[in-house]
């Protein structure tokens, strides 16, 4: 009875232990009462994590953007600097020769350049220039050693530039300028308009008669025994000479050169003395342009004319009758004396 109970208990104990092993996941160890030995399974126990596993953090993939990705500017991109080419050796300057210009600077005349002292083998090129005060420049097509002047250069200053070129040297340029400006050739004075139509002539040319003081002459009547100079501003550059007449009756004063934009007109005592006393008009006309200016002149009576007319004595308050009577009496007394002397002699 005891044995049966013991086995039963033993069996129950074994079943209970097996259940615990299954529930707890532990290895079953046989009881000493059990006849066969149970070898533990050679299984590798899986580690039991003490905490819940956390997945590794993954960076989110950026969503595509509609904005264009800026490209790096050329200045941000490092570039390698090219190695500079070696500089060409500087050539020496060509030794300069000289240039001179000859000829009368008158429209229609030919100017000639002369060069000396340039190294052998030098090639020379020429360029004529003209200057008008603050402006001017090269004369188009004037590239030979000679140049014939035209009206376009009138009142300008001519120059010649010569450039020398020779292999192995840098080119050299020298220049020569004429001191005398170019003038038009003087022409015979043009025929003066008739005094009867002078006023119409001046009106048609839109000319206003200026006072004589505008020409640097004194105000009032000019003394016909003195000489004066009228100074006229003349800005028409095509004119080298002007013709001058004085009216009432047209009398040629002369043709005079335009110098630096002005004309000087001499009014001699002989000219003024030959004019009747009173108002006159000085008419100036450009030989090339035909432009006209006019200046008033007032001439005092001539001393010779005043004596002839007795006007000079009248101006002083003296009478011409007394002197003439006295002269007649003296003449008669002289005649009487001559007659008496002849009688005495006889």
């Amino acid at each position: 009875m005891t044995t049966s109970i013991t086995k039963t208990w033993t069996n129950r104990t074994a079943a209970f232990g097996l259940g615990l092993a299954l529930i707890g996941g532990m290895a079953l160890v046989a009881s000493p009462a059990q006849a066969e030995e149970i070898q533990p399974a050679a299984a590798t126990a899986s580690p039991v994590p003490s905490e819940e596993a956390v997945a590794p953090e993954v960076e989110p993939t950026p969503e595509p953007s509609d904005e264009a990705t800026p490209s790096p500017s050329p200045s941000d991109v490092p570039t390698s600097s090219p190695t500079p080419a070696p500089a060409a050796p500087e050539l020496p300057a060509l030794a300069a020769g000289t240039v001179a210009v000859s000829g009368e600077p008158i429209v229609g005349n030919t100017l000639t350049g002369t060069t000396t002292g340039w190294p052998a083998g030098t090639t020379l090129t020429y360029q004529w220039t003209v200057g008008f005060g603050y402006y001017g420049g090269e004369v188009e097509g004037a590239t030979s050693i000679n140049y014939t002047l035209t009206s376009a250069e009138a009142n300008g200053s001519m120059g010649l530039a010569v450039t020398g070129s020779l292999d192995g040297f840098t080119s050299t340029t020298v220049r020569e300028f004429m001191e005398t400006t170019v003038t038009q050739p003087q022409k015979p004075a043009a025929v003066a308009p008739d005094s009867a139509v002078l006023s119409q002539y001046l009106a048609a040319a839109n000319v206003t008669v200026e006072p004589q003081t505008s020409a640097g002459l004194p105000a009032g009547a000019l003394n016909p025994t003195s000489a004066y100079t009228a100074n006229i501003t003349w800005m028409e550059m095509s004119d080298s000479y002007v013709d001058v007449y004085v009216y009432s009756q047209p009398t040629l004063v002369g043709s005079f050169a335009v110098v630096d934009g002005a004309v000087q007109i001499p009014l001699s005592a002989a000219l003024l003395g030959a004019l009747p006393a009173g108002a006159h008009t000085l008419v100036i006309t450009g030989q090339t342009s035909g432009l006209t200016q006019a200046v008033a002149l007032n001439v005092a009576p001539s001393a010779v004319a005043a004596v002839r007319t007795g006007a000079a004595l009248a101006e002083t308050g003296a009478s011409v009758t007394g002197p003439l009577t006295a002269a007649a009496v003296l003449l008669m007394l002289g005649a009487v004396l001559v007659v008496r002397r002849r009688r005495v002699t006889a």
Side-chain angles (χ1 to χ4, degrees):
M1 189 67 176
T2 304
T3 304
S4 177
I5 294 172
T6 301
K7 285 183 180 181
T8 301
W9 175 255
T10 300
N11 291 337
R12 289 179 178 176
T13 302
F16 181 74
L18 182 59
L20 289 177
L22 292 173
I23 294 173
M26 299 176 61
L28 177 62
V29 181
S31 169
Q34 198 169 7
E36 56 199 57
E37 184 177 355
I38 300 175
Q39 298 294 333
T44 303
S46 300
V48 179
S50 59
E51 297 181 1
E52 186 177 351
V54 180
E57 204 172 304
V58 180
E59 294 184 5
T61 302
E63 294 183 2
S65 172
D66 295 336
E67 297 181 2
T69 304
S71 317
S73 63
S75 59
D76 297 334
V77 179
T79 57
S80 58
S81 300
T83 304
E90 187 174 349
L91 297 177
L94 179 66
T98 63
V99 58
V101 177
S102 60
E104 289 295 324
I106 300 175
V107 172
N109 286 359
T110 298
L111 302 180
T112 301
T114 303
T115 59
T116 57
W118 293 89
T122 299
T123 300
L124 299 178
T125 56
Y126 311 97
Q127 179 62 63
W128 290 91
T129 62
V130 62
F132 300 92
Y134 293 103
Y135 66 96
E138 297 180 350
V139 179
E140 186 176 357
T143 56
S144 68
I145 193 68
N146 303 317
Y147 180 67
T148 301
L149 296 167
T150 68
S151 295
E153 290 86 50
N155 294 315
S157 298
M158 296 300 298
L160 176 60
V162 178
T163 300
S165 303
L166 184 63
D167 289 343
F169 299 88
T170 58
S171 298
T172 297
T173 299
V174 294
R175 304 175 188 273
E176 174 68 10
F177 297 95
M178 302 190 74
E179 295 182 358
T180 306
T181 57
V182 179
T183 61
Q184 295 277 6
Q186 184 175 352
K187 305 172 185 177
V191 177
D194 189 83
S195 57
V197 295
L198 178 62
S199 58
Q200 294 91 328
Y201 171 79
L202 295 178
N206 197 27
V207 174
T208 300
V209 180
E210 301 294 336
Q212 64 188 37
T213 53
S214 67
L217 298 171
L222 301 179
N223 184 348
T225 63
S226 299
Y228 302 88
T229 300
N231 294 287
I232 305 296
T233 300
W234 199 265
M235 300 307 296
E236 176 51 50
M237 297 188 66
S238 65
D239 290 318
S240 296
Y241 292 89
V242 297
D243 298 329
V244 182
Y245 284 88
V246 64
Y247 289 79
S248 298
Q249 294 300 320
T251 301
L252 178 63
V253 180
S255 297
F256 304 97
V258 179
V259 180
D260 296 331
V263 181
Q264 292 188 334
I265 304 171
L267 304 175
S268 66
L271 171 69
L272 297 177
L275 297 176
H280 299 272
T281 304
L282 201 64
V283 178
I284 307 100
T285 304
Q287 283 195 347
T288 302
S289 68
L291 295 178
T292 300
Q293 293 188 35
V295 176
L297 289 181
N298 188 15
V299 180
S302 166
V304 175
V307 170
R308 288 175 180 172
T309 60
L313 295 175
E315 289 179 1
T316 62
S319 173
V320 71
T321 305
L324 289 177
T325 303
V329 171
L330 291 174
L331 183 60
M332 291 176 65
L333 288 174
V336 170
L337 291 174
V338 169
V339 171
R340 284 184 175 181
R341 182 171 296 178
R342 284 181 177 178
R343 286 181 178 178
V344 170
T345 303

